[in-house]
């Protein structure tokens, strides 16, 4: 709810920055998870893609570009070989719920 | 899943306030280094680096079993920023 020029308007919270002219501060978290998964990298990547997809609904699009799985501010990258893999999970504060959920699930995959 | 954030942060982060709050929360080993674009806060015992610039803050956790630490750091960082 924004009051400007004596007018009351309902706008998306993210649009307040430009409407009021205040600089946004982006807060991002990144974590590395070690994964013991003996399958080829492509299979692990596909499992991670399915995990992300299973949690995303509505208009949000899960994109896979150059092996990086992304949806909005969330990024999931896996690297490594059959012996050990590392998964990088990164998300902006606005996607905290999805980011922390994915991190927890990926940690469980590695156990 | 489409959970909206509780806060929308804005403006630069106050590094002095951040370090004070880290200490108050028991994170006493913070080492602050000035960089060309801001600061890097090294938390050696926690295996964590916080990179701070005027318009962004980035938390890097190496250890993968520290969800309580991440939540604590997020809370401290948010409390050191303006927000609506």
């Amino acid at each position: 709810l924004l009051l400007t020029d004596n007018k009351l308007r309902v706008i998306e919270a993210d649009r307040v920055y430009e409407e009021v002219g205040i600089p946004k501060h982006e807060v991002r978290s990144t974590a590395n998870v070690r994964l013991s998964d003996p399958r080829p990298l492509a299979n692990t990547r596909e499992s991670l893609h399915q995990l992300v997809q299973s949690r995303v609904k509505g208009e949000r699009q899960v994109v896979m570009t150059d092996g990086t799985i992304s949806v909005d501010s969330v990024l999931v990258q896996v690297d490594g070989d059959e012996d050990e893999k590392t998964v990088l999970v990164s998300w902006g504060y606005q996607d905290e719920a999805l980011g922390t959920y994915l991190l927890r699930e990926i940690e469980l995959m590695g156990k | 899943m489409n959970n909206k954030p509780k806060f929308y942060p804005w403006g630069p982060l106050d590094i002095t306030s951040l370090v004070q709050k880290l200490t108050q929360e028991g994170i006493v080993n913070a080492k602050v280094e000035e960089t060309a674009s801001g600061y890097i806060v090294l938390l050696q015992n926690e295996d964590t680096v916080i990179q701070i610039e005027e318009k962004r803050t980035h938390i890097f956790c190496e250890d993968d079993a520290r969800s309580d630490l991440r939540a604590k750091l997020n809370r401290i960082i948010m409390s050191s920023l303006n927000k609506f």
Side-chain angles (χ1 to χ4, degrees):
Chain A
L1 207 58
L2 187 68
L3 177 65
T4 47
D5 302 328
N6 283 328
K7 282 184 195 163
L8 209 51
R9 290 180 293 150
V10 177
I11 62 168
E12 281 285 323
D14 222 31
R15 280 191 52 214
V16 169
Y17 295 108
E18 51 188 277
E19 291 278 342
V20 181
I22 54 175
K24 185 174 185 172
H25 193 103
E26 188 193 345
V27 178
R28 174 165 280 276
S29 298
T30 296
N32 281 314
V33 183
R34 278 180 291 281
L35 201 64
S36 300
D37 180 353
R39 297 179 300 160
L41 196 57
N43 296 47
T44 310
R45 194 171 281 143
E46 185 48 37
S47 296
L48 292 168
H49 186 223
Q50 283 172 13
L51 171 69
V52 178
Q53 190 74 67
S54 72
R55 204 63 190 183
V56 173
K57 295 193 173 64
E59 293 174 355
R60 304 176 89 187
Q61 292 286 317
V62 180
V63 182
M64 176 107 91
T65 315
D66 299 329
T68 300
I69 303 152
S70 62
V71 54
D72 297 337
S73 76
V74 180
L75 300 174
V76 179
Q77 281 176 326
V78 59
D79 250 312
D81 52 30
E82 273 76 4
D83 292 330
E84 189 174 83
K85 297 179 176 69
T86 305
V87 186
L88 179 144
V89 190
S90 182
W91 65 92
Y93 174 73
Q94 65 274 28
D95 290 314
E96 183 74 14
L98 179 59
T100 50
Y101 168 82
L102 290 173
L103 182 62
R104 201 167 54 240
E105 289 296 309
I106 293 166
E107 283 168 0
L108 290 173
M109 279 170 74
K111 301 234 186 299
Chain B
M1 180 185 284
N2 190 20
N3 294 357
K4 299 272 186 204
K6 286 183 199 157
F7 306 113
Y8 291 82
W10 63 276
L13 186 144
D14 182 345
I15 184 75
T16 311
S17 160
L18 177 73
V19 173
Q20 275 174 0
K21 285 172 182 166
L22 287 171
T23 308
Q24 284 165 8
E25 296 273 353
I27 301 170
V28 293
N29 63 324
K31 190 176 161 204
V32 179
E33 289 177 6
E34 207 166 338
T35 66
S37 53
Y39 299 93
I40 288 179
V41 181
L42 301 166
L43 308 177
Q44 283 161 339
N45 295 352
E46 285 77 14
D47 224 354
T48 294
V49 174
I50 307 170
Q51 188 179 29
I52 299 161
E53 293 177 5
E54 192 185 344
K55 292 184 175 176
R56 61 187 59 88
T57 295
H58 198 155
I59 309 164
F60 298 88
C61 285
E62 272 304 318
D63 188 344
D64 56 4
R66 304 299 298 272
S67 60
D68 55 335
L69 173 71
R70 262 193 308 279
K72 188 191 261 191
L73 291 177
N74 252 323
R75 184 164 46 75
I76 294 170
I77 286 166
M78 277 299 151
S79 70
S80 305
L81 284 163
N82 298 306
K83 53 196 172 294
F84 61 84

